[in-house]
Amino acid sequence: MAADGPGRLGIGIGWRHELDLSIARLPGVDWVEAVAENLHAGHLPETLVALRDKGMPVLPHAVSLSLGGAEPLDTTRVEHLAVLTRELGAPMASDHVCFVRAGGLDSGHLMPLPRTREALDVLVDNVKLTQSIVEVPFALENIAAVLEWPDAEFTESEFLRELTDRTGCLLIVDVANLYANARNLGTDPERFLDEIPWERLAYTHMAGGVERDGVYHDTHAHPVVPEVLDLLRELRRRTDPPGVLLERDDDYPSDSELAAELAALREAVSP
């Protein structure tokens, strides 16, 4: 099942209740992405509705579908995403390449998948079911992993390429997650950028982090570090991303600081 992307999005920011008034007055915001689990269909926040009604793309981004989980897919969560997508008039919806639940327990985190043929088959089946319910183009995002499972049969880029080949899904490339994995797991982000199927790119994510005791934490509560901006420039050398989104989830800065970060993203992907 092939899927067209959302088209040119430009520079965006993650919509959060704490930023709702800031987003309305920030210069250079072309679109927003909202966490689906923070929204209730039929009761959308007025500020988000106002952005939608003035023609700004509002894209729902789920965090709880657990598409890589071995347990049956919880279709009520997918149906919630589908209803929000229709209410927002969104051109696409998304989640992550991960699992979050197993054995009746919820991890509270996005957990990496074993990169095995068996795990890929499970993910493919769940993505196809999700696509049939959501009925718009659907994208999956790479995560910042806390560990890598042994006995991998694919590199991450190979795993994602086969996923897109078999489902027609799109990809969200989180550049900050690539940097976090390089720092903490020793992965090669430039190899990832060389091998990823860019024709499936929906957009990219950027976020800040901080190092503590030799570990890099992808906090979404600090400014984007220069190394992540450099990695976005490396991405731009390979493709022109349809959209770049700044994520901020805590310790919210002033409007001027957010505007400066958005301007830095725009500069990094300009021709």
Side-chain angles (χ1 to χ4, degrees):
M1 178 195 301
D4 293 328
R8 297 299 305 179
L9 291 168
I11 303 299
I13 191 168
W15 186 92
R16 305 293 185 263
H17 287 283
E18 297 86 349
L19 292 176
D20 59 351
L21 298 179
S22 293
I23 290 171
R25 58 185 177 238
L26 277 173
V29 174
D30 302 315
W31 62 290
V32 297
E33 178 195 80
V35 176
E37 288 78 2
N38 292 343
L39 301 177
H40 302 281
H43 302 281
L44 295 178
E46 291 182 6
T47 51
L48 195 60
V49 170
L51 295 177
R52 178 202 66 186
D53 289 350
K54 75 175 187 178
M56 181 179 288
V58 180
L59 276 56
H61 186 55
V63 297
S64 69
L65 300 187
S66 199
L67 294 172
E71 299 173 354
L73 184 64
D74 183 352
T75 55
T76 60
R77 295 175 185 269
V78 183
E79 288 161 359
H80 170 73
L81 178 62
V83 171
L84 284 176
T85 301
R86 289 193 292 271
E87 191 168 342
L88 292 168
M92 61 166 283
S94 59
D95 200 300
H96 301 78
V97 178
C98 73
F99 72 98
V100 299
R101 290 181 299 279
L105 300 175
D106 194 308
S107 68
H109 295 278
L110 307 178
M111 300 296 293
L113 302 183
R115 291 197 298 271
T116 63
R117 176 66 59 185
E118 184 177 21
L120 179 60
D121 289 344
V122 169
L123 178 61
V124 165
D125 287 345
N126 286 338
V127 169
K128 287 181 176 179
L129 178 54
T130 297
Q131 289 170 319
S132 72
I133 296 170
V134 174
E135 296 183 331
V136 294
F138 187 70
L140 279 298
E141 177 188 344
N142 61 298
I143 69 166
V146 294
L147 57 86
E148 285 199 300
W149 299 100
D151 304 320
E153 298 172 32
F154 303 89
T155 65
E156 186 174 17
S157 53
E158 290 170 342
F159 193 85
L160 294 178
R161 180 175 289 278
E162 183 150 347
L163 171 66
T164 62
D165 286 347
R166 291 174 61 182
T167 66
C169 74
L170 301 168
L171 295 175
I172 298 170
V173 172
D174 190 309
V175 179
N177 289 350
L178 292 180
Y179 177 72
N181 291 344
R183 288 289 304 275
N184 297 331
L185 301 175
T187 57
D188 184 348
E190 292 200 25
R191 179 181 178 185
F192 179 98
L193 296 177
D194 285 339
E195 297 177 350
I196 203 70
W198 291 117
E199 69 277 7
R200 308 309 305 154
L201 181 66
Y203 54 88
T204 65
H205 274 180
M206 295 285 287
V210 66
E211 180 178 331
R212 296 193 187 101
D213 300 322
V215 176
Y216 183 80
H217 297 269
D218 179 47
T219 63
H220 294 197
H222 293 81
V224 176
V225 299
E227 294 87 350
V228 174
L229 275 172
D230 288 342
L231 199 52
L232 179 62
R233 295 185 183 99
E234 284 295 326
L235 182 153
R236 179 64 180 88
R237 293 188 181 100
R238 293 160 174 82
T239 192
D240 181 9
V244 181
L245 183 100
L246 176 65
E247 295 183 291
R248 187 76 177 225
D249 294 318
D250 202 359
D251 196 15
Y252 298 98
S254 66
D255 288 4
S256 61
E257 290 175 89
L258 285 173
E261 285 209 284
L262 291 169
L265 301 188
R266 193 176 299 275
E267 183 277 329
V269 296
S270 61

